[in-house]
């Protein structure tokens, strides 16, 4: 057995972050050891200004002293307040339940950003270029030069823009983040990035930056709006250089900088980029460039009070995909097929004459005749146009646009196009993969792949509904229903922490939560402008709860508490004295895009929206009461508990007959009422029977955005795994596997986005919407059996409870928790149920061995020993054991399992 060591030291979910502005950052570590039953019993953290001080234990800024505690995640820094740009080093050691201490961990560090606003001495600089019409403008280039005369110890640059920027130092791009400064509700919060550029400086230096329209003033929303946040782009740069002699210098963006247009003629999030390589300005971001023809910049008066350091992960280019096929369509279009619906762009290699123009168009699908299909992109042109400069091999990648696509149409390519000339660049928020789920069924594995791709493709700094058409908005409902699945697949803690801040800031004074965040709809026309929609606005409560459940993060509950409360209070006001939210004038999306057997061209739901609204009001109110208790808002606990009791009473009276039938007799209504715990005790069996009977009657699901995520979990809850698996395994429309029979590589917006004959529904119809991918939660938790214990969140105590069935012979769910890897993998082989669980150090688990009997169980090929036997409980489900950390292999005869 290797010696236990402390690894993966994180600060605010990141390894060695710089430029953060969380004043009391939270620290975490993993105890890496394969040892059984290993728990931390105490820890000691120390923090110093230098590595040397840290390791000698001298001049410490803070020592936690030995704290008797098993907490190893989200431990709050308790030392003195830190100052702007202060870097501190930290390490930790722990004591375990076997009376051993580890040695000190390797040092980690974090570095603060600008905390004192008076340190922002840079000015926003801009070109004289104001958007007055609905049109993309050329991207802007900024530059300055400076000399350094002394030896440099360290240099950091802080940078942001109104628009999206790329920063260059001495000709090299600074960092590899994309679409910086990121997408926030720009009028209230503007992120700046900090980069360590120590190695990039030389004697004669030049800083350059390109700024494009981006979300700030580009085309946004499906109504063709431009300049939503502002009409003028700007850049803010501040470079701090520390010299070895102890002096320092700050280079800032100011009136001395020069600006110019360049080769990016148009750059639009939806429409694509027009790039003319003939206009390239060689060496523009290096010293010595002749910028005589460049214009002087203006100083723009814009708030620095709104500047914040980023908490979420940046967007990056994560993967490259080579095209699988080159197709000539029946119409004669030259099209490359990547074999996967991705988000990003195509990198093109090309040779030709000066002035040759290549057009790249992007599409998710081919139509039923095999031709390139872009109608579902609506107004998004998704077209990149590259004009060659004509000097040998040229490589093109766009700067400030992205497309959602699997197919690339190449028009007017000079010479013969080969598969090697185009590469698909996959971009998304740099969320670390944490989950995997595989089974014996390749179609279900493809479903899992589609869910994960749907997540990657739609996590582009904000959770978007779709990545391809003229929308790509942070729809709250979609984010809400998918959040738990998202938290299995990838580490999304910091991603949601960031987005929820914007949700709260955009929230209306009366507590109403907007339909999309950042909110680009309020004030516009139509129902989308209204907000406060049931199941959508509840993201305000449900997503913080998901983050708390998945990462044990209490701070998100504290920070979002006022926002949650405001939303719950809004619903209470709307519901009034009878506790029923049935205001006919209030718009809800309801069970959006549900299957409706009566109307083949459905675009609505059959579950009454009032019923859904009151059900969700109940659910969010119960969560709020729990949250109030968790964060010590004792004065609120009773109030919200009572409110919930009253809503439940009203719901029962209004929507449930004395026979347990719901007035909306739909799968969604039953799934919602049962899973939110709205059915009175004595009626559960009857309601459950109605629910099951409806599924049997149809033989398929009929649910939409709000019902679908609850469907299989609720069927399992009422003991009808058979029906849940029936729904999962169904291959005809409507089902999760039907799109896969049609070749889908991502989750569709509609159950029948594409009909069996290949026709595609016109209008609002995306091939890449993650909402229906919310089935992923059930796959991990139920089929795989890897679950959070809500009373002991963040996987501090894990529940293993696999449910084999549906003809599967194996399932393997794995999750990289903050404590380390968790595994729940079963296989039925040679008449035996083999089950492996991996429990990380410093956690414990309850394991249910389905349909096992105590004397039939072998653990690592031996009979159960007394330590485990002591914990054994026989339940209706099987045998339950309490386990500590380690790897365990169980096996027993599989005869009693219903497969
Ligand atoms: C459309 C999309 C989106 C959904 C809204 C209500 O814009 O389907 O995902 O949330 O409608």
């Amino acid at each position: 057995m290797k010696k236990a060591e402390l690894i993966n030291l994180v600060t605010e979910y990141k390894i060695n972050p710089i430029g953060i502005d969380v004043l009391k950052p939270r620290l975490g570590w993993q105890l890496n050891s394969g040892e059984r039953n290993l728990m931390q019993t105490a820890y000691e953290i120390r923090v110093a200004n230098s590595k040397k001080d840290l390791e000698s234990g001298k001049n410490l800024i803070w020592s936690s002293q030995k704290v008797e505690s098993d907490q190893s995640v989200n431990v709050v820094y308790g030392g003195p307040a830190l100052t702007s740009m202060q870097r501190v080093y930290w390490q930790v050691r722990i004591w375990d339940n076997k009376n051993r201490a580890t040695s000190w961990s390797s040092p980690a560090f974090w570095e603060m950003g600008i905390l004192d606003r008076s340190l922002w001495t840079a000015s926003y600089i801009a070109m004289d270029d104001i958007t007055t019409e609905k049109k993309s403008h050329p991207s802007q280039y900024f530059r300055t030069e400076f000399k350094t005369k002394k030896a440099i110890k360290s240099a950091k640059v802080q940078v942001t823009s109104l628009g999206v920027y790329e920063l260059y130092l001495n000709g090299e791009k600074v960092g590899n983040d994309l679409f910086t400064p990121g997408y926030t509700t720009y009028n209230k919060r503007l992120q700046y990035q900090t980069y360590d550029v120590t190695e990039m400086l030389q004697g004669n230096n030049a800083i350059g930056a390109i700024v494009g329209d981006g979300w700030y003033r580009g085309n946004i929303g499906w109504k063709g709006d431009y300049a939503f946040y502002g009409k003028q782009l700007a850049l803010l740069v501040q470079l701090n250089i520390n010299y070895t002699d102890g002096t320092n210098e700050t280079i800032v963006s100011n009136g001395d900088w020069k600006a110019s247009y360049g080769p990016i003629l148009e750059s639009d999030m939806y429409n694509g980029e027009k790039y003319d390589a003939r206009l390239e300005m060689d060496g523009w971001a290096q010293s010595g460039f002749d910028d005589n023809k460049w214009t002087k910049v203006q100083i723009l008066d814009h708030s620095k009070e709104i500047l914040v350091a980023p908490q979420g992960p940046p967007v990056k280019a994560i993967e490259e995909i080579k095209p699988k096929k080159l197709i000539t369509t029946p119409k004669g279009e030259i099209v490359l097929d990547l074999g996967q619906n991705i988000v990003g762009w195509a990198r093109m290699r090309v040779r030709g004459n000066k002035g040759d123009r290549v057009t790249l168009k992007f599409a998710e699908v081919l139509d039923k005749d095999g031709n390139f299909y872009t109608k579902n992109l609506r107004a998004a042109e998704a077209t990149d146009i590259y004009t060659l400069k004509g000097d040998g091999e040229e490589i093109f990648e766009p700067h400030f646009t992205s497309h959602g696509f699997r197919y690339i149409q190449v028009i007017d390519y000079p010479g013969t196009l080969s598969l090697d000339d185009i590469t698909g660049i996959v971009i998304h928020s740099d969320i670390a993969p944490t989950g995997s789920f595989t089974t014996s069924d390749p179609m279900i594995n493809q479903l899992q792949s589609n869910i994960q791709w749907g997540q990657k493709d739609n996590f582009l700094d904000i959770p978007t509904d779709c990545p391809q058409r003229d929308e790509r908005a942070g729809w709250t409902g979609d984010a809400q229903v998918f959040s738990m699945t998202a938290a299995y697949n990838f580490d999304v803690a910091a991603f949601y922490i960031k987005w929820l801040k914007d949700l709260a800031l955009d929230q209306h004074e009366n507590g109403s939560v907007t339909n999309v965040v950042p909110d680009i709809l309020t004030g516009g026309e139509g129902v989308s402008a209204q907000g406060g929609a049931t199941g959508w606005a509840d993201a305000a409560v449900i997503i913080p709860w998901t983050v708390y459940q998945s990462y044990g993060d209490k701070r998100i509950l504290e920070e979002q508490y006022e926002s949650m409360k405001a939303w719950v209070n809004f619903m209470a006001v709307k519901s009034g004295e009878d506790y029923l939210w049935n205001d006919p004038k209030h718009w809800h999306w309801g069970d959006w895009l549900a299957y409706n057997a009566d109307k083949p061209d459905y675009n609505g739901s059959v579950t009454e929206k009032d019923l859904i609204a009151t059900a969700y009001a109940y659910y969010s109110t119960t969560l709020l009461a729990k949250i109030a208790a968790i964060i010590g808002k004792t004065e609120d606990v009773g109030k919200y508990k009572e409110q919930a009791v009253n809503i439940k009473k009203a719901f029962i009276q209004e929507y449930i007959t004395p026979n347990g039938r719901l007035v909306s007799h739909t799968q969604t209504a039953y799934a919602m009422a049962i899973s939110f715990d709205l059915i009175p005790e004595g009626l559960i069996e009857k309601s459950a029977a109605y629910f099951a009977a409806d599924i049997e009657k149809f033989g398929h699901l009929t649910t939409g955005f709000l019902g679908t995520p609850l469907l299989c979990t609720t069927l399992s809850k009422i003991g009808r795994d058979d029906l849940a698996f029936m729904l999962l395994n169904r291959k005809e429309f409507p089902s999760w596997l039907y799109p896969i029979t049609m070749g889908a590589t991502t989750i569709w917006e509609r159950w029948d986005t594409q009909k069996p004959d290949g026709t595609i529904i016109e209008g609002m119809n995306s091939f890449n919407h993650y909402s229906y991918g919310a089935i992923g939660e059930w796959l991990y938790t139920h089929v795989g059996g890897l679950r959070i214990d809500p009373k002991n969140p963040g996987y501090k105590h894990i529940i293993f409870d696999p449910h084999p069935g549906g003809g599967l012979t194996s399932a393997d769910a794995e999750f990289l928790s903050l404590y380390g890897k968790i595994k729940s993998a079963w296989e039925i082989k040679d008449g035996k149920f083999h089950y492996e669980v991996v429990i990380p150090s410093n956690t414990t688990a309850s394991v249910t061995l389905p349909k096992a009997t105590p004397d039939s169980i072998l653990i690592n090929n031996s009979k159960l020993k007394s330590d485990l036997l002591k914990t054994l409980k026989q339940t209706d489900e099987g045998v339950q054991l309490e386990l500590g950390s380690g790897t365990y292999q169980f096996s027993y005869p599989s005869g009693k399992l219903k497969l």
Side-chain angles (χ1 to χ4, degrees):
M1 185 85 22
K2 66 176 189 297
K3 209 166 163 261
E5 49 169 357
L6 299 170
I7 59 162
N8 288 346
L9 270 65
V10 288
T11 307
E12 287 298 316
Y13 298 100
K14 294 186 176 129
I15 292 180
N16 299 337
I18 66 170
I20 67 170
D21 61 7
V22 177
L23 300 179
K24 291 200 172 296
R26 291 151 316 155
L27 312 175
W29 54 89
Q30 284 175 13
L31 176 54
N32 185 30
S33 153
E35 208 175 309
R36 286 255 171 109
N37 302 316
L38 186 64
M39 291 295 287
Q40 172 187 306
T41 53
Y43 68 81
E44 182 178 352
I45 297 170
R46 60 184 185 184
V47 181
N49 272 321
S50 70
K51 255 193 208 167
K52 210 166 125 227
D53 282 349
L54 186 73
E55 278 166 348
S56 65
K58 290 198 191 111
N59 302 322
L60 293 179
I61 304 177
W62 182 58
S63 159
S64 68
Q65 305 297 344
K66 184 174 175 184
V67 181
E68 307 285 337
S69 163
D70 66 356
Q71 188 183 357
S72 57
V73 305
N74 290 320
V75 179
V76 178
Y77 164 72
L82 300 171
T83 54
S84 294
M85 291 174 272
Q86 184 175 358
R87 175 182 290 207
V88 296
Y89 293 84
W90 69 282
Q91 58 186 176
V92 57
R93 63 175 165 177
I94 68 114
W95 287 261
D96 68 26
N97 54 342
K98 299 177 187 174
N99 288 322
R100 296 168 303 193
T102 63
S103 30
W104 285 104
S105 69
S106 310
F109 65 84
W110 80 84
E111 188 176 304
M112 303 309 285
I114 296 190
L115 307 178
D116 172 0
R117 293 194 188 281
S118 69
L119 293 179
W120 280 111
T121 50
S123 304
Y124 287 97
I125 54 171
M127 283 180 84
D128 180 14
D129 174 346
I130 313 264
T131 294
T132 49
E133 28 178 352
K134 297 189 168 189
K135 188 167 161 298
S136 163
H137 284 215
S139 297
Q140 305 175 355
Y141 289 67
F142 295 88
R143 73 182 308 277
T144 197
E145 292 192 17
F146 64 95
K147 287 189 175 33
T148 48
K149 294 205 186 81
K150 296 190 268 189
I152 295 164
K153 187 172 156 226
S154 69
K156 305 280 156 56
V157 63
Q158 283 107 7
V159 52
T160 187
S161 61
L162 305 177
V164 279
Y165 74 81
E166 280 185 1
L167 184 73
Y168 292 82
L169 195 53
N170 296 327
E172 298 281 323
K173 182 165 186 281
V174 176
N176 52 8
D177 303 342
L178 301 169
F179 299 109
T180 43
Y183 192 6
T184 52
T185 184
Y186 290 123
N187 41 352
K188 298 163 195 150
R189 242 162 61 88
L190 176 63
Q191 301 185 136
Y192 67 89
Q193 281 69 33
T194 302
Y195 297 101
D196 188 332
V197 291
T198 314
E199 303 298 321
M200 298 177 86
L201 288 177
Q202 51 204 36
N204 293 333
N205 299 284
I207 310 181
I210 315 176
V211 182
D213 287 349
W215 299 285
Y216 184 82
R217 82 161 182 182
N219 182 4
I220 212 165
W222 60 92
K223 291 177 183 139
D225 289 332
Y226 277 79
F228 187 83
Y229 287 100
K231 291 184 166 59
Q232 197 169 10
L233 303 180
L235 174 74
L236 184 78
V237 182
Q238 189 154 310
L239 170 64
N240 302 291
I241 308 169
N242 293 315
Y243 295 108
T244 48
D245 66 2
T247 58
N248 52 59
E249 191 180 357
T250 307
I251 311 291
V252 296
S253 49
N254 59 24
D256 298 338
W257 287 47
K258 295 280 210 59
S260 167
Y261 296 116
I264 307 175
L265 302 179
E266 273 179 34
S267 191
D268 184 292
M269 286 288 185
Y270 299 155
N271 294 336
E273 183 157 312
K274 293 195 176 57
Y275 187 94
D276 188 341
R278 293 172 303 184
L279 303 177
E280 282 176 356
M281 305 166 290
D282 279 349
W284 70 275
Q286 278 158 297
S287 65
F289 176 79
D290 178 6
D291 60 15
N292 254 328
K293 294 209 183 85
W294 287 40
T295 57
K296 280 201 97 175
V297 296
Q298 303 178 348
I299 303 291
L300 187 79
D301 185 20
H302 193 83
S303 170
K304 290 180 203 155
E305 294 300 310
I306 57 171
L307 291 171
V308 292
Q311 271 186 282
V315 177
K316 287 189 196 287
I318 308 277
E319 214 179 304
E320 301 194 352
I321 298 193
K322 292 307 289 175
K324 305 281 173 300
K325 272 192 262 169
L326 204 157
I327 307 165
T328 305
T329 69
K331 280 190 184 163
E333 301 145 328
I334 305 295
V335 171
L336 292 159
D337 176 6
L338 291 182
Q340 173 63 50
N341 200 12
I342 69 163
V343 166
W345 52 75
R347 181 199 296 140
M348 175 176 64
R349 189 179 66 183
V350 61
R351 277 170 188 275
N353 295 323
K354 188 170 181 177
D356 283 353
R357 231 168 70 146
V358 188
T359 301
L360 303 171
K361 286 178 160 284
F362 299 86
E364 292 188 289
V365 274
L366 302 180
D367 70 10
K368 71 177 182 356
D369 303 319
N371 291 314
F372 198 69
Y373 182 88
T374 55
K375 271 195 193 150
N376 71 321
L377 308 182
R378 299 192 307 212
E381 284 168 19
T383 303
D384 292 342
I385 300 176
Y386 180 75
T387 306
L388 278 75
K389 58 187 166 199
D391 63 356
E393 184 174 293
E394 299 178 38
I395 306 282
F396 167 66
E397 284 189 59
H399 300 72
F400 303 124
T401 189
S402 74
H403 312 293
F405 65 102
R406 169 175 168 170
Y407 298 94
I408 307 148
Q409 184 188 359
V410 185
I411 302 168
D412 294 337
Y413 187 85
T416 321
L417 180 70
S418 82
L419 291 179
D420 285 340
D421 295 321
I422 299 283
T423 307
I425 308 294
V426 177
I427 65 158
H428 56 85
S429 283
D430 193 11
I431 41 177
T434 48
S436 69
F437 177 79
T438 47
T439 69
S440 50
D441 183 339
M443 278 187 94
I444 294 173
N445 298 345
Q446 183 65 44
L447 172 63
Q448 167 68 8
S449 166
N450 293 6
I451 296 171
Q452 291 192 322
W453 271 104
Q455 179 167 357
K456 292 191 274 192
D457 292 344
N458 281 296
F459 274 48
L460 203 129
D461 213 44
I462 62 160
T464 60
D465 66 323
C466 59
Q468 73 296 76
R469 68 179 178 225
D470 53 351
E471 186 156 1
R472 315 185 192 183
W475 281 94
T476 45
D478 309 43
Q480 181 270 109
V481 296
F482 188 68
S483 61
M484 191 44 103
T485 300
Y488 271 97
N489 287 327
F490 292 89
D491 177 356
V492 291
F495 178 85
Y496 284 133
I497 289 172
K498 174 226 171 215
W499 183 69
L500 286 165
K501 294 222 154 100
D502 294 310
L503 181 146
L505 282 173
D506 274 340
Q507 200 167 353
H508 297 178
E509 214 144 277
N510 62 5
S512 176
V513 175
T514 58
N515 278 320
V516 304
V517 174
D519 177 30
I520 50 157
L521 299 179
T522 303
E525 283 163 18
V527 288
S528 315
Q530 291 177 20
T534 190
W536 267 250
D538 295 275
V541 183
I542 295 170
I543 301 183
W545 182 247
T546 302
V547 174
Y548 170 66
Q549 288 294 308
S550 302
Y551 308 98
D553 189 322
K554 269 195 201 172
R555 189 177 279 174
I556 196 166
L557 301 180
E558 287 158 359
E559 292 191 340
Q560 296 298 128
Y561 189 67
E562 288 309 316
S563 155
M564 300 183 207
K565 226 170 115 167
W567 168 241
V568 168
N569 292 344
F570 173 87
M571 291 191 283
V573 169
K574 280 273 162 196
S575 305
E577 280 175 8
D578 65 2
Y579 294 96
L580 293 170
W581 190 5
N582 50 11
D583 170 359
K585 288 202 207 88
H586 192 89
W587 173 260
H588 294 297
W589 305 101
D591 195 22
W592 186 243
L593 303 186
Y595 172 89
N596 180 341
D598 304 322
K599 300 180 206 144
D601 285 320
Y602 64 89
N603 184 10
S605 68
V606 286
T607 308
E608 267 188 83
K609 291 180 179 178
D610 293 353
L611 178 150
I612 297 178
T614 301
Y616 257 102
Y618 175 73
Y619 183 54
S620 284
T621 309
T622 53
L623 286 185
L624 186 63
K626 282 188 202 164
I627 290 165
I630 291 162
I631 62 171
K633 300 274 179 192
T634 18
E635 65 287 4
D636 287 344
V637 180
K639 176 181 161 195
Y640 291 112
K641 269 194 182 160
E642 194 189 320
Q643 197 164 306
V645 168
N646 288 327
I647 303 174
K648 182 167 174 174
K649 269 194 218 146
F651 184 92
I652 293 169
Q653 202 184 5
E654 185 80 3
Y655 298 115
I656 313 182
T657 71
N659 244 354
R661 186 181 167 103
L662 288 171
V663 298
S664 277
H665 187 58
T666 63
Q667 295 172 13
T668 289
Y670 286 105
M672 210 169 267
I674 295 169
S675 71
F676 291 171
D677 192 24
L678 277 159
I679 311 278
E681 209 54 10
L683 291 181
I684 289 188
E685 274 183 26
K686 289 190 167 175
S687 299
Y690 277 129
F691 178 35
D694 191 76
I695 289 172
E696 278 162 348
K697 181 182 90 188
F698 279 98
H700 61 71
L701 53 78
T702 64
T703 50
F705 272 36
L706 296 182
T708 305
L710 308 172
L711 196 55
C712 288
T713 41
T714 315
L715 285 168
S716 294
K717 192 170 170 180
I718 63 164
R720 296 302 305 266
D721 273 0
D722 58 325
L723 291 178
F725 276 114
M726 182 276 282
L727 296 178
L728 175 68
N729 281 330
R730 185 182 156 90
K731 293 180 186 59
E732 300 76 29
F733 160 79
S735 68
W736 286 280
L737 297 189
Y738 162 66
I740 292 168
T741 67
M742 298 293 292
T745 59
T746 39
I747 301 291
W748 294 350
E749 180 172 20
R750 298 168 182 270
W751 294 118
D752 58 350
T753 279
Q754 187 169 26
K755 305 276 188 196
D757 70 358
T759 45
I760 298 165
I761 293 187
E762 298 220 345
M764 187 195 80
N765 197 8
S766 125
F767 284 78
N768 205 350
H769 245 67
Y770 52 52
S771 298
Y772 289 149
I775 179 78
E777 177 183 352
W778 181 75
L779 297 176
Y780 278 103
T781 57
H782 202 80
V783 182
L786 194 165
R787 280 217 315 262
I788 292 165
D789 174 0
K791 292 202 199 74
N792 223 327
Y795 300 90
K796 186 76 175 123
H797 181 255
I798 306 154
I799 295 182
F800 291 100
D801 186 13
H803 286 249
L808 293 175
T809 55
S810 71
D812 180 345
E814 298 184 22
F815 178 71
L816 215 50
S817 73
L818 294 182
Y819 299 94
K821 181 174 147 178
I822 305 173
K823 178 171 179 179
S824 175
W826 55 264
E827 185 178 17
I828 293 160
K829 207 169 143 194
D830 306 330
K832 285 208 168 129
F833 184 69
H834 301 272
Y835 186 37
E836 178 176 312
V837 302
V838 177
I839 304 167
S841 305
N842 203 24
T843 69
T844 54
S846 304
V847 180
T848 296
L849 301 171
K851 300 290 171 221
T853 48
D855 44 359
S856 65
I857 303 168
L858 293 182
I859 173 165
N860 296 15
N861 288 323
S862 323
K863 288 259 173 212
L864 291 183
K865 298 214 181 72
S866 62
D867 56 333
L868 285 184
L869 278 173
K870 266 197 319 231
T871 72
L872 186 145
K873 263 194 250 152
Q874 179 97 50
T875 67
D876 289 350
E877 302 290 314
V879 165
Q880 197 182 313
L881 299 169
E882 301 305 318
L883 302 177
S885 67
T887 298
Y888 302 81
Q889 265 126 8
F890 298 98
S891 66
Y892 54 92
S894 61
K896 292 200 179 135
L897 292 166
K898 276 200 220 133
L899 302 169

